[in-house]
Amino acid sequence: ISLASSIKLKESYMLLSVSNSVFAYLNQAIFLSGQKDGRLIFFPKFNSFAFNAVYKICMSKRVFFDLGYSFYFNAPVWDLILNRVPATIILVFSSQLLSVFLGIFLGVIAALKPNGFLSNFITVSALVFWAAPVFWTGMMLLIFFASIFPIFPVSGMYEISKVGGLLTRLIDIAHHKFLPMLTLALLYLALYSRLTRASMMEVLNSDYIRTARALGMSEGVVIFRHGLRNAILPVVTMVGLQISRVFAGAILVETVFNWPGLGRLAFDS
């Protein structure tokens, strides 16, 4: 059809009582995805046949990972996702490793003396970090460690102007990554430390722990070889369940620290 007819067709669709977002999607699908042999497929009116045709065109493209074109970034959507995936994976898995190991360590310490000062301090700190919004934690870390004490950079993944080899670039990425990694890790560190504490307290009161101590084994062997080995099972299960939530929490963290990952891409889109 001609350009004038296309404009009239577009104006007629705007008269429909459809939200702007739905109209924009259908309009793009019809006018951009509906090309066949250099000509536009003409839908005389908005009916079920037109909707089914557009739906089939769009879903057929999704099967072959054709997610369309982003007019905001002026690039294909699939290329944008592939470019942002490595940054998100680096942030998410490093924060998970930090929160798991540090949370287990603090949970074991808190379980040894449940009524002691250190145990109460760890418990209160864990509850504070668990209740605090992740973006607020990130902004507080930025104020203290990037503004008042300028130890870490404010945003970004690396310095573009820094010249060096692979080791220099890795150190630069680790330097930029520390604050967003710590922000995301503090949230789940509270969960893992509380879960480890409760599990360790239950295990340390078991009969086989008393038997191991009666046999003269050292306290370190009793705690880490016999106690922690059984107490860590609920923590491992929880780590697997929280992976999806970590990726969701990375959206806010990447936005606060301007980390070039999928979360920042979703926010900008």
Side-chain angles (χ1 to χ4, degrees):
I1 61 176
S2 63
L3 180 61
S5 301
S6 301
I7 295 175
K8 290 182 180 179
L9 179 61
K10 182 177 180 180
E11 291 176 351
S12 63
Y13 281 144
M14 294 179 66
L15 298 177
L16 297 174
S17 58
V18 186
S19 63
N20 292 332
S21 59
V22 175
F23 169 76
Y25 178 78
L26 291 175
N27 182 67
Q28 179 185 0
I30 293 173
F31 282 87
L32 298 180
S33 299
Q35 294 183 0
K36 185 177 181 181
D37 298 331
R39 295 173 297 165
L40 291 174
I41 300 176
F42 177 69
F43 298 112
K45 58 181 180 178
F46 187 80
N47 51 24
S48 60
F49 172 76
F51 182 81
N52 292 333
V54 173
Y55 179 78
K56 291 178 181 180
I57 293 172
C58 295
M59 292 307 297
S60 63
K61 289 180 176 292
R62 302 303 179 265
V63 171
F64 296 100
F65 300 100
D66 184 3
L67 303 180
Y69 191 85
S70 173
F71 295 100
Y72 182 84
F73 293 100
N74 196 24
V77 175
W78 184 246
D79 293 342
L80 291 172
I81 293 175
L82 292 180
N83 291 333
R84 301 295 185 96
V85 165
T88 298
I89 291 178
I90 291 174
L91 177 62
V92 167
F93 282 95
S94 60
S95 63
Q96 272 292 87
L97 289 176
L98 178 62
S99 61
V100 169
F101 286 105
L102 192 57
I104 291 174
F105 177 74
L106 293 178
V108 171
I109 293 177
L112 296 180
K113 294 182 179 180
N115 298 322
F117 171 78
L118 188 58
S119 177
N120 292 330
F121 177 77
I122 294 174
T123 301
V124 173
S125 301
L127 292 177
V128 169
F129 288 124
W130 179 253
V134 66
F135 63 87
W136 179 86
T137 305
M139 289 188 291
M140 292 300 103
L141 291 177
L142 276 177
I143 292 174
F144 281 103
F145 296 106
S147 179
I148 299 177
F149 305 101
I151 303 174
F152 299 99
V154 177
S155 63
M157 186 175 177
Y158 53 83
E159 290 289 342
I160 301 177
S161 59
K162 182 168 288 187
V163 180
L166 179 61
L167 182 60
T168 304
R169 178 53 60 90
L170 292 178
I171 294 175
D172 189 29
I173 293 176
H175 189 214
H176 283 75
K177 183 186 66 176
F178 183 79
L179 285 184
M181 176 187 66
L182 182 61
T183 302
L184 193 58
L186 286 175
L187 176 64
Y188 297 96
L189 182 146
L191 175 63
Y192 300 143
S193 63
R194 291 289 296 165
L195 185 59
T196 304
R197 179 181 181 271
S199 183
M200 278 294 294
M201 289 177 61
E202 181 180 358
V203 169
L204 291 178
N205 293 324
S206 302
D207 293 335
Y208 69 90
I209 296 295
R210 287 192 291 267
T211 303
R213 286 172 174 167
L215 293 175
M217 296 183 181
S218 64
E219 192 67 14
V221 173
V222 172
I223 293 173
F224 292 100
R225 179 177 296 180
H226 298 283
L228 184 59
R229 182 177 295 180
N230 293 282
I232 203 175
L233 295 178
V235 181
V236 174
T237 303
M238 184 59 66
V239 170
L241 295 175
Q242 294 296 320
I243 289 293
S244 59
R245 294 190 61 185
V246 177
F247 277 96
I251 297 177
L252 295 176
V253 174
E254 292 178 0
T255 303
V256 171
F257 292 94
N258 198 21
W259 185 263
L262 290 175
R264 182 67 189 183
L265 179 63
F267 180 82
D268 291 337
S269 299

